[in-house]
Amino acid sequence: MNGKIIIISAPSGCGKSTIINALLERGDIDMQFSISATSRKPRQGEVHGVNYYFLTESEFRSRIDAGEFVEFEEVYPGRFYGTLRSEIDRIINGGHNVVLDIDVAGALNVKRLYGGQAMTLFIQPPSIEALRSRLIGRATDSPEVIEERVGKAAYEIGFAPQFDYSVVNDDLAVAIGQVHDLISSFVGK
Ligand code: 5GP
């Protein structure tokens, strides 16, 4: 049986990583996280080979030239993110489902490539204001970066109708349950 590809997108600060980590820890759905490559600097606590493969911009560009990415995007100016073909192959060939945490453009590109083997899921904030408060509360980004992320969020929410499913993260436990059930019924097919 071919593994399924679960693609999750959300504006930054919508609880996407928390939801994905909760499901991975719960462990009742067989899925492994696809570690993306990025040219951005690690945040405090982030580990190379766990959260991301952290590359310099020139390393990233040579891997683009070598055709190593299924998809890549310059998500923010000068900051590249991409899904390595080797990551998806490693997990799928190992007989597992794979979960991707990638931006909206990347998500729709991967869905186009893998069709029915892939499911796209968009996680929305209850509102833009709620999102701004969450990002301020998280205190990992400067005010300029927060405004950049909020602006990007408004743009990204416009893509939600193109996703297979959309979940609003107002109450975290409810959102985790909804995402769990959607993935579980997709991989069970
Ligand atoms: P962050 O810098 O907060 O970790 O991620 C910023 C954005 O980049 C998020 O929307 C995240 O989903 C996206 N992202 C992470 N990895 C990839 C990837 O491999 N490809 C694409 N297209 N976007 C990614």
Side-chain angles (χ1 to χ4, degrees):
M1 187 204 84
N2 259 348
K4 299 261 173 76
I5 300 171
I6 300 122
I7 310 160
I8 304 186
S9 287
S12 174
C14 289
K16 176 183 47 174
S17 309
T18 309
I19 293 171
I20 294 173
N21 288 333
L23 296 180
L24 291 171
E25 266 167 37
R26 192 161 150 178
D28 65 323
I29 301 174
D30 168 31
M31 59 181 190
Q32 294 186 6
F33 186 70
S34 161
I35 302 162
S36 292
T38 183
S39 69
R40 83 149 161 76
K41 298 272 176 292
R43 294 196 188 109
Q44 197 171 8
E46 286 184 328
V47 176
H48 178 79
V50 175
N51 306 92
Y52 282 106
Y53 298 113
F54 293 101
L55 307 178
T56 63
E57 191 174 329
S58 77
E59 283 167 343
F60 200 104
R61 287 184 188 283
S62 38
R63 288 186 178 219
I64 295 173
D65 294 342
E68 292 185 27
F69 289 106
V70 170
E71 63 77 36
F72 68 91
E73 297 289 332
E74 190 174 1
V75 177
Y76 300 102
R79 280 179 270 159
F80 291 86
Y81 296 80
T83 307
L84 293 161
R85 193 177 306 278
S86 56
E87 270 299 289
I88 295 198
D89 288 351
R90 176 177 66 77
I91 297 170
I92 297 268
N93 295 340
H96 304 287
N97 303 301
V98 57
V99 58
L100 274 60
D101 165 353
I102 63 178
D103 87 321
V104 289
L108 298 173
N109 282 334
V110 174
K111 173 75 184 181
R112 230 170 270 128
L113 282 172
Y114 288 92
Q117 194 184 348
M119 153 186 161
T120 51
L121 198 158
F122 191 82
I123 298 170
Q124 304 217 34
S127 68
I128 288 289
E129 242 345 282
L131 174 65
R132 183 179 281 115
S133 313
R134 270 189 210 169
L135 288 173
I136 292 169
R138 187 167 84 171
T140 49
D141 297 310
S142 66
E144 295 73 32
V145 171
I146 289 176
E147 280 318 304
E148 184 187 39
R149 287 181 188 273
V150 167
K152 177 116 182 149
Y155 166 79
E156 287 175 321
I157 288 168
F159 286 86
Q162 295 181 53
F163 280 65
D164 296 327
Y165 302 99
S166 192
V167 165
V168 176
N169 180 12
D170 192 1
D171 179 313
L172 180 63
V174 172
I176 290 172
Q178 288 174 339
V179 173
H180 173 277
D181 293 351
L182 287 167
I183 296 175
S184 166
S185 72
F186 178 69
V187 302
K189 272 181 202 163

